[in-house]
Structures are given as structure tokens and as C-alpha cells.
Amino acid sequence: MPQYQQHASWKLEGGGQIMDLETAVKDGILGGGGGGGGLLPGKDATLVPVAEKPNLRNMIEELYSEVEDVPSVFICPISLEPMVDPVTLITGQTYERANILKWFSMGHLTCPTTMQELWDDAVTPNRTLCQLINAWFSQRYLQMKKRSENVQGRATELIQTLKKAKGQARVQALKELHKIVVAHAPVNTSVVDFAGVTLLSSLLGPFTSHAVGSEVIAIIVNLTLDSDTKANLMQPAKISLVVDLLNEGTIDTKINCTRLIEMLMWERSFRSEVVSSLSLLVALLRLVKDKRHPNGVAAGLSLLKDIGSHEQVRSLMVSIGAVPQLAELLSNSKWELKFIQPALQILDDLSTIPDGLLALKDCHQIIPTAVRLLMHASEACTHHALSILWAVCKLALDECAFLAVEAGLAAKLLLVLQSGCNPEMKQRAAELLKLCSHNYSPTVFISKCKLTRTMQ
């Protein structure tokens, strides 16, 4: 039986070759020639670790999402991920050991890449390639750690600067810290550890300029906040500044303000009074109305949905015209599910209070829009649309049921009954179908259902 012979060279992406490990290190194939860290050749030509590092698997997990230039020779053809324990078949093809053994265990006795039949399923450890992979990822891991240390040091310096800086110097320091926090996630821990969150929170107040406030909030929404910090941020003076920025800031600032308020709403100590502000609700409806910025629309709807879950705030939402504005948004058939679902949920919540239900009945767009959205986007959307239609038809049966049936409700309800929706939703659909049929003769109502002769 022929024995597997190690390849004299390894092909790299772009047509290059690795003649051997020493050549690879020397020519910079591993990420920049000579002395870059990682593994270096020793006196006996073996690789000597420069410093203790995590194992290869851990390094790959940390680095793989950040690096884009991983040589194709390092990638397992089965999993399309970097190999940790590469082994070679008699065909010369190399795979991750666990992947190729799983392939064999499934009854395949072929090479997955070439589909060539194998007369021997033996695998040979590819030590040279393993060393190359180790060296390549080790060097980049050390470089990443060094960059991280430098960035963390700079973040600490900026925090110290913010304790004394004023005016434009403070704004510039905040802008630089914001860029660092967004680009380097590990820095977030350093900012928290060095009391940076407390300092940033202290910069928000009634006399804070919008330039400073915008940058502070942009940083805070990227940090992990503890309960004490969130409680501090819920102080009226700080919330007032956030609302001002939500009304007058740039689109990015407005989105960051919605994110901050959402973070605070998840805190146990949160009180609905924090968001019981006409100015806040008006700002959110303006954000939702601005179709130039879909991300802003999504952010505004998300926060309005969370606020609408608090019964105490629903009357305020109705009083500033939330129902017709959301109905107008839903009437646009081009919106995606991420816009439709929260808008329907808000309207469903508002239908649970008398003034909200009356506003829904009086809005001429609600019934045709809700009928259109039945069985249109998702089961959750169907649930909310059905709930809204049930509520308004119960309130004014003669008027609303007629409009709903003319808009095609009966046929849509039959689709719900025949679908895989949950039993509660089917029961509600059956009750609504029966309710809407009262003002029609059987023949006319059947025609409204658009039933075929067989279905009749």
C-alpha cells in the first residue's frame, strides 16, 4: 500500500507556494517577515513559543471574525473554517480531523473534495500545516492584544482628560472616546472599570450643551450599565436633556436617545413616569414620520412599542394622534416586517383603552389596512390585526363590520381558519366571521367570501 508523502510545497491563494516553514516565516507568509511575535525558529529548526498564549482553537474563535485574509490553505473544505488539527488523505487533500472522521462515519469512503474513491481511510497528521496555522494566528493574536492594550491606555487617558477639559476640548475628547468604544469592544470594560461611566453620567444635566450630550449618550449606549448607573440616568434633569436631544439632535443622536431610554426601561426600578412626557412622545412620532431615515423609523417604533406596554401612557399616545399616524405608516405596502409588526402591536395596545378604541374606529385607514395585513406578514401581525378588527367591529358592528367585509375580511378570515395559526386565533377568527355575517343573507355573504363551488 503506497504511503502518503508530505507535499514539498503548499499552494496559497493567488498562486504562491510555501516551500517549507522557515521560508514561510522568512517571506512574511505568516503575516510580515521576521520578528513579528508568535512562534520563532529555534536552533534545532523547531518552533519555539515567544510567550505563553491561548491554544489555537481559542485564538481562532477570537480572531476569525476580525481577520479577512486567512490563507485558503488553512481552511477545511468541509466546514469552511480554519483547521486546528489538519490531517491529509491518501489523495493529498487536507481536512480538519473531526470533520473527515465524521464524513467516514456517515458511510462515505470517498474524498469529499475530489469524490475519488479511497482504498484506505487512514489519515496522516499534517504537522507542517498545523505549525503554519499556529504561527499565523499566534502572530495576529499578539498584534491584536498589543493594539488592544494601546487602545485601552488611550481610553484611560481620555477619561482623565474629561475630568478637567471644558468647551471644545471636552467635545473632542468625547468624540475620540466614542470612536474607540465603537471600534474596540474590550475597551468598554476599561471605561467601566476606571469609573468612566460615572464621569460620563455626571456630564449630563440641565446645563449640558447638545454637542457634549450627543457624544456622551453615543458612548453610554455602547457600554454595559449597572443598576446604580441606570438609576442615576433616570433623574429628571438627565431625562429632560435626552428628550431635548431626541427633538433637536441629528438622526444618529435621536437613534442613540431611543436606545438609551430602552436600556433604562429594562431596569427593575424603572417607572412609567419617566416616559410620561408629551415632548418625548411627540419626538418619537416625528421620528417615525420621517421616512427619509428608515433606521430612525425602526428605532422610534421600537421605543413606542415598549412605552405602549405601560397602560398609564396609552391615553397620552392617543391624545397626540398616534393612531392616524401609525395607520398612515401601515397603509404603505412597501414597509418591511420590522416596521409593520411593532406598529400593529402599538395599535393593538391602544385598542384596550376607550379613547384608543374610539380613535381606531374613527380612522378610515384602519379597517382596510388591518384586513390587508391579515395573513400577510407573520403570525404575530395576523394576531394584532385580528385583535384590532375584533375590537372595532364589536364597538360599532353595523358600521365597521360592513366596511371590513367590503374590504375582503370574510375571505381573509377563512384563510386564518384554514391556516396553521394557534387555536385561540382561529376561535377569534370564527367569532368575527359569525359577527360580520349578521347583516347579510347567506347567499350574499358566501359571495363576499369568494368561495368556489367546491368550497361552498
Side-chain angles (χ1 to χ4, degrees), residues 71-128:
S72 59
V73 73
F74 294 171
I75 304 298
C76 173
I78 297 176
S79 66
L80 300 181
E81 295 180 353
M83 293 179 281
V84 175
D85 185 9
V87 295
T88 304
L89 304 183
I90 56 174
T91 60
Q93 301 294 326
T94 302
Y95 303 92
E96 174 65 28
R97 181 188 295 272
N99 296 335
I100 192 61
L101 292 182
K102 183 177 180 180
W103 173 262
F104 290 154
S105 71
M106 295 169 65
H108 304 294
L109 196 58
T110 56
C111 174
T113 301
T114 65
M115 296 310 294
Q116 179 181 348
E117 290 190 10
L118 304 174
W119 64 87
D120 186 1
D121 62 359
V123 296
T124 304
N126 194 329
R127 294 187 176 87
T128 299

Side-chain angles (χ1 to χ4, degrees), residues 39 49 51-63 83-85 130 133-135 137-139 141-142 145:
L39 303 176
E52 185 177 352
K53 296 175 289 295
N55 62 43
L56 178 58
R57 191 177 303 278
N58 291 341
M59 287 191 291
I60 290 176
E61 288 178 356
E62 286 194 48
L63 284 170
M83 293 179 281
V84 175
D85 185 9
C130 186
I133 295 171
N134 260 292
F137 277 100
S138 294
Q139 185 176 54
Y141 183 82
L142 292 174
K145 287 298 183 184

Side-chain angles (χ1 to χ4, degrees), residues 199-214:
L199 173 62
L200 291 168
S201 178
S202 70
L203 296 178
L204 298 176
F207 304 109
T208 303
S209 69
H210 284 190
V212 170
S214 298

Side-chain angles (χ1 to χ4, degrees), residues 43-244:
K43 293 181 180 180
D44 57 354
T46 60
L47 291 177
V48 180
V50 175
E52 185 177 352
K53 296 175 289 295
N55 62 43
L56 178 58
R57 191 177 303 278
N58 291 341
M59 287 191 291
I60 290 176
E61 288 178 356
E62 286 194 48
L63 284 170
Y64 190 45
S65 61
E66 299 183 11
V67 295
E68 299 178 353
D69 57 341
V70 179
S72 59
V73 73
F74 294 171
I75 304 298
C76 173
I78 297 176
S79 66
L80 300 181
E81 295 180 353
M83 293 179 281
V84 175
D85 185 9
V87 295
T88 304
L89 304 183
I90 56 174
T91 60
Q93 301 294 326
T94 302
Y95 303 92
E96 174 65 28
R97 181 188 295 272
N99 296 335
I100 192 61
L101 292 182
K102 183 177 180 180
W103 173 262
F104 290 154
S105 71
M106 295 169 65
H108 304 294
L109 196 58
T110 56
C111 174
T113 301
T114 65
M115 296 310 294
Q116 179 181 348
E117 290 190 10
L118 304 174
W119 64 87
D120 186 1
D121 62 359
V123 296
T124 304
N126 194 329
R127 294 187 176 87
T128 299
L129 183 58
C130 186
Q131 290 175 329
L132 284 170
I133 295 171
N134 260 292
W136 195 90
F137 277 100
S138 294
Q139 185 176 54
R140 278 155 180 76
Y141 183 82
L142 292 174
Q143 291 171 348
M144 181 195 73
K145 287 298 183 184
K146 184 176 181 179
R147 286 195 304 270
S148 178
E149 290 173 1
N150 292 340
V151 169
Q152 289 179 358
R154 180 55 182 159
T156 304
E157 291 176 4
L158 289 170
I159 292 172
Q160 296 301 321
T161 299
L162 287 171
K163 293 179 179 179
K164 301 177 182 178
K166 297 184 181 299
Q168 193 60 30
R170 173 178 287 178
V171 174
Q172 290 304 317
L174 286 168
K175 285 181 179 291
E176 185 177 350
L177 183 59
H178 176 211
K179 290 180 180 178
I180 291 174
V181 167
V182 171
H184 305 277
V187 174
N188 299 355
T189 304
S190 299
V191 173
V192 174
D193 291 344
F194 286 94
V197 177
T198 303
L199 173 62
L200 291 168
S201 178
S202 70
L203 296 178
L204 298 176
F207 304 109
T208 303
S209 69
H210 284 190
V212 170
S214 298
E215 295 299 331
V216 169
I217 292 172
I219 296 169
I220 287 178
V221 295
N222 286 285
L223 303 177
T224 301
L225 307 180
D226 58 26
S227 296
D228 290 340
T229 301
K230 290 180 181 178
N232 181 270
L233 289 169
M234 281 189 273
Q235 293 179 18
K238 299 183 188 298
I239 293 296
S240 178
L241 174 64
V242 174
V243 172
D244 286 345

